[in-house]
Amino acid sequence: LSICSRTVEPLEYYRRFLKENCRPDGRELGEFRTTTVNIGKCLCSITTADGSALVKLGNTTVICGVKAELAAPAVDSANKGYIVPNVELPSLCAERFRSGPPGEEAQAASQFIADVIENSQMIVKEDLCIANGKLAWVLYCDIICLDYDGNLLDASVFALLAALKNVHLPLVTINEETGLSEVNLKQKNPLIIRKHPVATSFAIFDDTLLIVDPTAEEEDLATGTVTIVTDEEGRLCSVHKPGGSPLTGAKLQDCITRAITRHKEVKKLIDKVIKSITPK
């Protein structure tokens, strides 16, 4: 298979591999790229964050920093805090992205992350309330892609979960005499994470063939993509399918089954890394 055919007829080039149930990078159709995660202060670039993580999925590299601030709750949600996710795709991560306001892809990814947080109930907003109607935590979750090679959503959800697992919030009380908040930095508690959502993405080739963890090239050649989000109980939190080829019920069920298996792998990886950085 010549490099020329990959450049001139990339889809035909891919089809030759897919017929043999493999891909140009040597992976099987259901095989993920090497996945690594670093959590916490080892990330010198964002030491100001209250929690941070860096995830690599093959060449796709995503960093997440969580910053916690205090604010008054909204009038109609007096007992709730806020979670504000934001995904950035800077021009340095791939040629396809431009400097300036967030593009369509970044906005769609930010909305996807917001939906995952809401649907999975990974963090219950009531847990972020300090004093009803007076004070609550705001979690600003900034997810920045450093290197884009496909499957942004899986890497982003993974980085978000790992960063949130790293957050410890100081004890905050309100002085009844002055009405002012008092922060005790010496007494910190881990953020309460109720669920652990994990995303698993697939590219659909020629309307029928499913491949997992697509690269940027595979996404461009695919006739559609689908992302399945599950939690540790195997519960379906989200199905994200932005147009493209329709999926039969059987194919969708196949994706969900694979996503549940992937969840176990990712959770095991996070637990292992957290255990290695937890003081004995």
Side-chain angles (χ1 to χ4, degrees):
L1 291 169
S2 66
I3 291 298
C4 175
S5 65
R6 184 172 195 160
T7 310
V8 178
E9 295 181 299
L11 188 54
E12 283 306 315
Y13 176 84
Y14 256 85
R15 281 178 180 143
R16 287 190 224 170
F17 280 93
L18 297 176
K19 278 178 188 170
E20 303 299 322
N21 286 321
C22 69
R23 292 141 89 168
D25 61 10
R27 285 187 290 158
E28 293 178 3
L29 305 190
E31 188 179 339
F32 287 83
R33 288 171 288 178
T34 302
T35 309
T36 58
V37 57
N38 290 310
I39 299 175
K41 297 300 181 189
C42 54
L43 308 178
C44 55
S45 55
I46 47 171
T47 50
T48 55
D50 294 294
S52 57
L54 183 143
V55 166
K56 280 181 73 78
L57 200 53
N59 291 328
T60 295
T61 308
V62 169
I63 196 165
C64 177
V66 180
K67 190 73 182 157
E69 293 182 6
L70 295 168
V75 178
D76 58 348
S77 308
N79 64 336
K80 294 180 181 179
Y82 309 86
I83 308 164
V84 185
N86 180 53
V87 178
E88 291 181 34
L89 292 166
S91 55
L92 66 85
C93 75
E95 288 180 6
R96 63 197 282 177
F97 303 117
R98 297 282 171 265
S99 300
E104 196 176 314
E105 201 165 337
Q107 290 180 49
S110 295
Q111 186 57 55
F112 168 80
I113 295 292
D115 292 342
V116 167
I117 293 168
E118 188 68 36
N119 296 339
S120 69
Q121 291 290 287
M122 65 188 298
I123 292 174
V124 177
K125 289 175 185 172
E126 284 85 350
D127 289 339
L128 299 176
C129 182
I130 297 162
N132 204 321
K134 294 179 181 177
L135 199 63
W137 285 109
V138 184
L139 300 179
Y140 292 101
C141 308
D142 289 312
I143 300 165
I144 303 161
C145 184
L146 304 179
D147 192 353
Y148 182 90
D149 187 21
N151 204 357
L152 172 72
L153 301 185
D154 286 18
S156 296
V157 173
F158 192 173
L160 173 71
L161 177 58
L164 289 171
K165 296 275 285 181
N166 182 229
V167 173
H168 285 69
L169 298 176
L171 182 69
V172 179
T173 53
I174 292 183
N175 187 309
E176 290 184 10
E177 292 178 15
T178 63
L180 299 172
S181 58
E182 295 177 353
V183 181
N184 182 354
L185 292 171
K186 290 181 180 175
Q187 191 172 343
K188 290 188 172 185
N189 293 308
L191 188 63
I192 299 169
I193 296 176
R194 305 274 183 181
K195 295 290 178 189
H196 297 74
V198 170
T200 305
S201 293
F202 303 83
I204 308 160
F205 265 81
D206 292 334
D207 299 330
T208 55
L209 201 61
L210 284 168
I211 63 168
V212 78
D213 181 23
T215 61
E217 184 180 33
E218 287 168 344
E219 285 176 349
D220 289 341
L221 296 173
T223 50
T225 59
V226 61
T227 301
I228 309 289
V229 184
T230 58
D231 65 15
E232 59 269 44
E233 293 167 11
R235 190 173 65 100
L236 191 61
C237 304
S238 175
V239 175
H240 177 67
K241 192 173 181 319
S245 304
L247 272 185
T248 63
K251 291 269 191 213
L252 184 59
Q253 189 55 55
D254 183 30
C255 291
I256 293 168
T257 304
R258 290 203 226 171
I260 291 169
T261 304
R262 174 63 173 171
H263 187 290
K264 294 185 178 113
E265 295 166 5
V266 169
K267 182 74 167 55
K268 199 173 174 181
L269 188 53
I270 288 186
D271 290 345
K272 185 181 175 183
V273 173
I274 287 175
K275 190 177 179 182
S276 72
I277 63 172
T278 303
K280 299 287 187 286

